Amino acid sequence: MQKSQSSFSQEHELAYRLTEELKRTHPLRQLFWECTLNCNLSCIHCGSDCKKESRVSEMPLGDFLPVLDDIRQHQPGVRTMVHTIGGEPLVRHDILECGRAITERGFYWGMVTNGHILDKALMKDLMRSGLRSISVDIDGTKEDHNWLRNNKSSFDRAYNALLCIKNTPALAWDVITCVNRRNISRLDEIKNLLADAGVKHWRCFTITPMGRAKENSELLLSDSEFRMLMDFIVRTREEGRIMLSYGCEGYLGEYEGRVRNHCYSCRAGLTVASVLSDGGISGCLSIRSDYRQGNIYSDSFWDVWNNRFTLYRYREWMKTGPCKECEVFKYCQGNGMHLRDENGRLLVCHYAKLQNARSER
């Protein structure tokens, strides 16, 4: 059921006030560590710099741990979540040692995996090393998943990983699906596949025109398809069989509060930071354009986090182009940082896509 205009406005105002408070206090709640650029797949939608054989050496664990010590010193008693991200984090030879070290320092440890090499034995080792949360990619039925992941055995391996994760106690987990023009017509099939497998929490993302996805029209949803996805998420949440949410992609106008458990705000630089494989300090790792604010090899991480993220926290500089006179800028704040190129140009406006789709009806 669609919310009344008054409750809709109240939720937006509360979300706006929370965001303003976070700009001031910016507690670090999630830290993403790009622990490797190596990957065992070559997905056609990858927006990062990951390769099967990376030319960039992995950051030694000993170089990353001082960052955690720095955070712990300035946020005593706060258990920040540290996500190991790649590439594929499980191809890193010392990933278990990394997890143990993160856990021993009082942080929660999580990861996102393509599931290609995750089996029961490795799952047990990960849990013994302190893993607390994990997300695995299932991008459709077998044919569509294998196409997107560019590997004929990818679906079977990811599904096996899903079963290993599902049968592991004391673990927070969900499934991530990248929705594209090829799989959007089969969303109900994907939903049934996941629900039958015992999935309780599911997140859908759409693909940004960056990296390998930049020139591939099959990956990018049209305006009407994007609205179709929003309607599907609303219906699925109302059914209650599986809790589906849209990722933290952008401001969604009338769908805010209906496709996520909260109203939109980009938390990059507010509660989320990342350490890139070369030591760069940035917002979340979805940001592929260069918005680095420092480097752990030359700067104090905490000093950078505390003093140099003005670009992320105060967004008036984004009021150009389509954002200049936008009626919802107060709530959107220029959309996600990962949707801006190096020159600050907005690559995708979710609100505009929904408005365009409405006018096409």
Side-chain angles (χ1 to χ4, degrees):
M1 180 180 296
Q2 190 161 348
K3 298 181 180 181
S4 68
Q5 185 62 40
S6 60
S7 63
F8 178 78
S9 300
Q10 288 173 359
E11 287 188 12
H12 275 62
E13 282 299 319
L14 288 172
Y16 169 73
R17 292 173 189 174
L18 174 60
T19 298
E20 292 300 298
E21 177 65 12
L22 290 176
K23 289 178 183 179
R24 185 182 68 82
T25 58
H26 46 267
L28 184 63
R29 294 175 180 162
Q30 296 187 76
L31 177 66
F32 291 86
W33 177 29
E34 190 176 52
C35 66
T36 182
L37 287 179
N38 291 308
C39 191
N40 45 16
L41 295 177
S42 184
C43 305
I44 65 174
H45 68 302
C46 184
S48 73
D49 303 315
C50 306
K51 305 173 181 64
K52 281 194 173 183
E53 293 183 4
S54 175
R55 296 179 182 177
V56 181
S57 300
E58 295 173 340
M59 179 186 295
L61 174 60
D63 291 359
F64 177 68
L65 292 182
V67 173
L68 301 187
D69 294 336
D70 197 11
I71 295 169
R72 186 173 56 175
Q73 178 183 348
H74 289 90
Q75 289 194 157
V78 177
R79 298 201 72 177
T80 300
M81 172 66 77
V82 177
H83 302 273
T84 45
I85 306 291
E88 169 52 46
L90 291 180
V91 303
R92 183 173 170 126
H93 76 281
D94 63 346
I95 191 63
L96 299 176
E97 181 185 350
C98 294
R100 284 192 296 271
I102 291 168
T103 302
E104 287 168 358
R105 279 165 171 74
F107 294 81
Y108 293 121
W109 175 37
M111 72 165 60
V112 178
T113 178
N114 60 35
H116 203 67
I117 60 173
L118 182 59
D119 56 18
K120 291 180 181 179
L122 180 52
M123 192 72 244
K124 289 180 180 178
D125 288 340
L126 290 168
M127 293 301 292
R128 281 193 287 262
S129 297
L131 188 70
R132 296 293 298 269
S133 74
I134 191 167
S135 299
V136 63
D137 300 307
I138 302 286
D139 293 308
T141 52
K142 186 170 184 176
E143 182 180 354
D144 291 340
H145 178 98
N146 288 346
W147 167 76
L148 191 68
R149 297 288 162 176
N150 201 21
N151 186 289
K152 292 181 179 179
S153 65
S154 177
F155 177 84
D156 290 337
R157 289 178 174 233
Y159 190 80
N160 179 67
L162 167 60
L163 298 181
C164 293
I165 292 168
K166 182 188 76 169
N167 293 322
T168 302
L171 180 67
W173 62 279
D174 68 357
V175 167
I176 295 173
T177 298
C178 289
V179 181
N180 54 76
R181 302 198 76 176
R182 183 157 170 161
N183 66 10
I184 191 168
S185 63
R186 289 185 276 277
L187 288 174
D188 279 306
E189 292 181 59
I190 302 170
K191 176 183 67 178
N192 292 332
L193 169 75
L194 297 179
D196 290 345
V199 176
K200 301 299 182 185
H201 299 279
W202 180 25
R203 279 183 292 161
C204 281
F205 286 80
T206 44
I207 298 170
T208 303
M210 304 182 84
R212 297 173 197 158
K214 192 172 184 179
E215 306 298 333
N216 193 331
S217 61
E218 281 191 276
L219 298 175
L220 309 179
L221 297 183
S222 68
D223 297 341
S224 60
E225 288 168 334
F226 184 66
R227 193 174 191 95
M228 184 190 310
L229 172 61
M230 295 300 106
D231 289 335
F232 171 79
I233 296 174
V234 171
R235 289 196 308 273
T236 300
R237 290 170 68 89
E238 290 174 348
E239 290 170 2
R241 187 182 178 198
I242 184 171
M243 179 48 68
L244 172 59
S245 298
Y246 185 57
C248 51
E249 287 286 282
Y251 179 76
L252 303 170
E254 66 191 273
Y255 289 95
E256 287 298 331
R258 301 172 66 207
V259 296
R260 291 181 284 236
N261 294 337
H262 54 83
C263 287
Y264 169 78
S265 74
C266 177
R267 296 299 172 87
L270 299 184
T271 63
V272 178
S274 65
V275 174
L276 305 180
S277 61
D278 64 356
I281 302 170
S282 185
C284 77
L285 278 176
S286 294
I287 301 170
R288 303 319 306 181
S289 300
D290 190 2
Y291 286 101
R292 305 175 191 213
Q293 304 303 297
N295 192 292
I296 67 168
Y297 290 109
S298 57
D299 305 299
S300 156
F301 174 87
W302 193 258
D303 178 65
V304 172
W305 172 252
N306 208 35
N307 299 307
R308 297 197 201 173
F309 270 78
T310 303
L311 192 71
Y312 288 81
R313 294 168 188 156
Y314 300 97
R315 304 289 194 86
E316 291 300 309
W317 63 272
M318 289 185 174
K319 295 191 75 171
T320 60
C323 296
K324 188 173 183 179
E325 305 295 336
C326 182
E327 60 185 5
V328 298
F329 186 88
K330 175 181 178 180
Y331 306 117
C332 175
Q333 297 284 295
N335 231 339
M337 286 289 291
H338 70 290
L339 299 172
R340 298 273 168 174
D341 67 13
E342 284 83 355
N343 299 313
R345 182 174 64 93
L346 184 63
L347 300 175
V348 177
C349 176
H350 297 78
Y351 180 73
K353 289 177 73 68
L354 292 169
Q355 296 301 104
N356 292 340
R358 176 189 286 276
S359 65
E360 291 172 1
R361 286 182 172 180

